[in-house]
Amino acid sequence: MLKRLSKSIATLGPIGYLPKAPGTWGSMTGALIWYLAAEFFSGFYKYQIVCVVASALIGIIVSNIVSKSGSKDPKEVVIDELTGMWIALLWLPHSIKLTIIALILFRIFDIAKPFGIRRLEKVKGGWGIMLDDIAAGIVSALILHTTLYLI
């Protein structure tokens, strides 16, 4: 039961099983949830960090359970992309344009894995699954916030 629940959470239900590029589907799901939460929940801005920390912790736990029953980083596990996307969007002004730019930046860094991000994949278990996406989200957020500050 725990394995099945963990896999369902780690794959965001059916999202991780969508054809072609499950990571992109997971990232788009994260962007959509974040955008809608900011749109419809007043005060969401002050609870964003709680959402990020909760998704990271849950992601580490469920990814660790899922990774023990198969490959090191199963492609269908997309909670890492959701968490990384949420980090990329953290405390940005609510805007569809910024959400799309954050999505594009995050996917670039998640796929290319520059700045030593690729080395984080070598960490075992749930931490390894989550850390590279957390780092890609941090790099994306830094670029977005720096750019907004300079404009």
Side-chain angles (χ1 to χ4, degrees):
M1 169 98 170
L2 182 60
K3 281 184 183 181
R4 198 166 61 208
L5 178 61
S6 294
K7 190 155 193 164
S8 183
I9 293 168
T11 60
L12 304 178
I15 302 299
Y17 298 102
L18 290 173
K20 299 192 192 223
T24 299
W25 289 110
S27 300
M28 290 188 323
T29 300
L32 179 63
I33 291 169
W34 198 266
Y35 184 83
L36 293 175
E39 183 77 19
F40 295 109
F41 299 114
S42 63
F44 177 67
Y45 200 76
K46 61 185 171 186
Y47 297 108
Q48 290 181 2
I49 193 70
V50 173
C51 294
V52 167
V53 171
S55 71
L57 292 174
I58 291 167
I60 290 165
I61 293 166
V62 299
S63 296
N64 193 54
I65 292 168
V66 172
S67 72
K68 287 180 181 179
S69 63
S71 82
K72 187 175 123 180
D73 188 357
K75 298 294 178 210
E76 67 271 11
V77 171
V78 293
I79 194 168
D80 50 337
E81 276 82 15
L82 176 128
T83 301
M85 192 65 229
W86 284 4
I87 292 169
L89 291 166
L90 192 60
W91 298 312
L92 285 177
H94 181 60
S95 155
I96 191 67
K97 286 181 186 177
L98 280 175
T99 302
I100 293 169
I101 292 168
L103 175 64
I104 293 166
L105 263 181
F106 172 71
R107 288 307 293 152
I108 289 170
F109 290 118
D110 186 30
I111 293 166
K113 299 186 189 325
F115 313 120
I117 294 172
R118 185 162 310 281
R119 282 183 272 173
L120 296 172
E121 287 182 313
K122 295 180 197 262
V123 177
K124 293 190 188 298
W127 281 100
I129 292 171
M130 295 295 292
L131 279 177
D132 64 309
D133 295 276
I134 289 170
I138 290 170
V139 172
S140 301
L142 288 172
I143 289 171
L144 287 162
H145 283 280
T146 302
T147 302
L148 287 174
Y149 177 78
L150 295 174
I151 292 178

